[in-house]
Each structure stands twice: as C-alpha cells, then as structure tokens.
Amino acid sequence: TILDPRFLATPGFALEQCRTAAVDMAGFAGEALFTAMSLISHYDGEKAEKVVTLEEKVDRYEDELGSYLVKLSSRNLSEKDSHTLSFLLHNIGDFERISDHALNVMEAAGKMHGRKCSFSPMAEEELAVFAEAVKEIMRSSLLVFRKEDLQLAKRIEPLEETIDYLNAEIKKRHIA
C-alpha cells in the first residue's frame, strides 16, 4: 500500500500524500517510456523486463491512487482541494497511458529484434530526432507536474505542435 487510509480523516494531508505518490508514479511512467525508447536501437531483454515491471507498478499506483482519491472526494473538501483532487485523478490516467505506450514501444522493439529488422540509416536519424523531441516534452511535463511550474507549462504546447509536425513529416517520408 502506498497510501494510508487513516489519513483520509485529514483531507489536506491525504491530498499531499496523493500528490507525492502521483509524482512517484509520473517518474515511473517516464522511466518506462525512456527505457522502452532505448530498446528500438539497442534491444536488451533485461531492459524490456524493466519496462514490464514499471508498467505494472504504474498500474498499481493508478488503481490505489484512483480508489483513494474517490474515497477522499466524499469528504468535506475545500474548493482548492477539490480542484487538486480532480487534477490528480486526470493526471494519473495520463501517466498510466504513458506507461501503456511504453509497453507498446517495448513490444514493437522486441518484434523488430526477433525478426532481425532494423531501420535504414536515414530512418534511424529521423527517429533519433523524433525520440529526442518526445523525451524533451516528457522531461518538461514531468518537471511541470513535480514543481507546478506554470511558466514551463506554457512552453509545452509548442513542443507538442513540433512533435505532431515531425510525426506527420516522418510518416510521409517513410511511406515515400
């Protein structure tokens, strides 16, 4: 158990415990994604197993945090605490999806490795640029969440637009 039910009696403290757990969860999701991405160019069975372990850990965090937050929502919360609770519920779902994507990337890398497939040198270069952009937005997003940095948060949307553009361009070139 990551959260003590006794803290439900003090909602403000319980929310802070949830926030700390959600920051940990975000870190595990990020680690899973970064590890999975590294498998595309250099497959390693131990690292693949680490992705599975991290994804399972993120799933457990989502289950426990989600249940705890739902219980906490029935308490008498201030408007600020209600907003924080809603924010955390939304974000833990996003972190869980990130870990699911990490698992998908790991599985695709495993299939490539098993079939002895690889990307062309040009595709590897494009993928490296794309991967670095994804890592940058992930690092920035984790930092925004951890530090509640609104100034940095404003810089994430343009990064997302860049990633969307890169994604479309790389797909076009790959198809061509």
Side-chain angles (χ1 to χ4, degrees), residues 12-148:
F13 186 72
L15 263 178
E16 193 50 43
Q17 296 302 304
C18 289
R19 185 164 163 42
T20 300
V23 166
D24 291 344
M25 180 187 182
F28 298 139
E31 185 180 357
L33 182 63
F34 295 154
T35 303
M37 290 171 70
S38 76
L39 295 172
I40 296 170
S41 55
H42 304 290
Y43 191 81
D44 175 326
E46 285 183 27
K47 285 185 178 180
E49 198 51 48
K50 181 179 181 182
V51 172
V52 172
T53 301
L54 286 165
E55 195 277 334
E56 289 170 350
K57 186 180 250 187
V58 170
D59 283 350
R60 283 193 307 275
Y61 267 69
E62 184 195 29
D63 289 344
E64 191 169 331
L65 264 168
S67 296
Y68 195 87
L69 287 166
V70 167
K71 288 177 190 169
L72 192 55
S73 70
S74 68
R75 304 293 171 138
N76 190 15
L77 299 175
S78 68
E79 187 176 329
K80 181 179 183 271
D81 286 348
S82 289
H83 175 74
T84 300
L85 186 141
S86 175
F87 176 76
L88 288 174
L89 271 173
H90 175 79
N91 280 279
I92 64 173
D94 289 342
F95 300 143
E96 196 279 329
R97 270 192 306 284
I98 289 167
S99 73
D100 285 345
H101 289 307
L103 195 63
N104 294 338
V105 169
M106 180 274 299
E107 289 168 350
K111 285 179 186 174
M112 283 181 65
H113 177 74
R115 294 176 183 158
K116 297 188 182 353
C117 295
S118 61
F119 290 107
S120 69
M122 186 174 141
E124 281 185 13
E125 286 178 29
E126 290 178 334
L127 185 59
V129 170
F130 187 75
E132 200 48 50
V134 169
K135 288 177 189 175
E136 178 60 28
I137 197 169
M138 185 67 191
R139 282 190 291 264
S140 295
S141 297
L142 292 173
L143 191 59
V144 164
F145 183 73
R146 193 172 25 250
K147 295 190 175 201
E148 299 181 42

